[in-house]
Amino acid sequence: MTFDWSVIWTHRQALLEGAALTVGLTVLTMLLAVPGGIVLALMRLSSNKLLQSASLGFVEFFRNLPLILVIYWVFYVMPMAVDFQLSPLVTALVALVLNISAYNAETFRAGINSIRKGQLEAALAMGMSRRQAMFKVVIPQAGRRILPVIASTWVSLFKDTSLVSVIAVSELAYTAMQIRAQTFRVLEMLTAMAVLYWLMGYPQAKLVDWIHRKYGVKE
């Protein structure tokens, strides 16, 4: 068996562009899924039964479906249902945001519930509205507590972006597979893909470890 590692250097630009799209998709997804998770968590904690039920239904639906099925559903089924086709990249973003928002909702809900009720009652006693007390007192404290969990979700999301390759989004996994198909250099391209994912993922994992040590609740 002969190896041709030069194929990696020859296609370095495409691989780097794919890696950049992977990172960009991760960042954009989390930027949308964090506020989405907060809204869903507040709906679940609301006294309004309709909001509670809507949030619970959303979270349980998307949290218990495989992400790849959500991607396929948004790309193939939704256009048939509403007669509207999204681009592969937008489809990937929508599917990822729906999935991660459901997980973030439960993370935020747990974080908010971990704050002693006395904090909220004290804020209300000082004349704050319930909304002001929630956003100025409770959520900032909850945010610190859940930061390690959100960081772990980020790392999982970064790896899960590879699933959008099934709808031809040109992130790292899809780009590497396309080059493999064109050059027939299977081992070389799979190795290059693994190395790039590791080089990008390892610093993130170490950052998560640091966040756990610094912000993890030890009570």
Side-chain angles (χ1 to χ4, degrees):
M1 179 182 291
T2 58
F3 303 108
D4 182 11
W5 299 104
S6 66
V7 68
I8 299 173
W9 180 255
T10 302
H11 294 89
R12 65 189 182 282
Q13 186 63 36
L15 290 170
L16 291 176
E17 289 174 359
L21 183 55
T22 293
V23 173
L25 198 54
T26 304
V27 171
L28 191 53
T29 297
M30 195 57 85
L31 285 176
L32 296 173
V34 165
I38 293 174
V39 170
L40 288 166
L42 293 177
M43 288 172 61
R44 183 77 178 276
L45 295 170
S46 169
S47 58
N48 187 305
K49 296 296 184 182
L50 183 60
L51 291 179
Q52 286 182 22
S53 298
S55 175
L56 177 61
F58 181 96
V59 169
E60 292 303 321
F61 182 78
F62 285 104
R63 203 168 57 136
N64 291 290
L65 281 179
L67 177 55
I68 194 167
L69 181 59
V70 177
I71 294 169
Y72 276 130
W73 192 92
V74 174
F75 192 68
Y76 292 109
V77 179
M78 193 175 73
M80 292 188 289
V82 299
D83 194 27
F84 182 71
Q85 178 73 58
L86 298 173
S87 69
L89 182 58
V90 175
T91 297
L93 183 61
V94 169
L96 290 169
V97 169
L98 291 174
N99 180 265
I100 300 301
S101 292
Y103 282 96
N104 283 352
E106 288 299 277
T107 300
F108 275 105
R109 186 169 72 92
I112 291 171
N113 283 335
S114 73
I115 304 302
R116 294 184 179 90
K117 290 186 178 180
Q119 298 275 343
L120 179 61
E121 293 168 355
L124 294 174
M126 292 174 62
M128 289 186 183
S129 66
R130 188 175 182 83
R131 181 178 180 278
Q132 289 175 322
M134 186 64 72
F135 281 94
K136 292 184 177 181
V137 177
V138 177
I139 289 181
Q141 294 183 72
R144 180 185 176 91
R145 291 192 172 200
I146 66 164
L147 187 57
V149 183
I150 293 294
S152 295
T153 301
W154 169 286
V155 174
S156 296
L157 168 63
F158 170 75
K159 292 181 289 185
D160 286 344
T161 56
S162 61
L163 295 174
V164 304
S165 62
V166 299
I167 55 172
V169 176
S170 300
E171 44 70 65
L172 179 55
Y174 179 79
T175 300
M177 292 299 98
Q178 288 296 102
I179 297 172
R180 181 207 64 177
Q182 295 166 8
T183 62
F184 303 102
R185 308 311 304 185
V186 178
L187 185 146
E188 291 89 336
M189 293 316 304
L190 290 179
T191 301
M193 181 170 62
V195 169
L196 285 171
Y197 270 115
W198 189 89
L199 288 174
M200 293 189 293
Y202 183 75
Q204 297 178 53
K206 292 294 102 181
L207 178 60
V208 170
D209 290 342
W210 177 81
I211 291 173
H212 272 282
R213 289 194 300 272
K214 186 172 179 63
Y215 296 104
V217 177
K218 300 179 176 61
E219 56 179 56

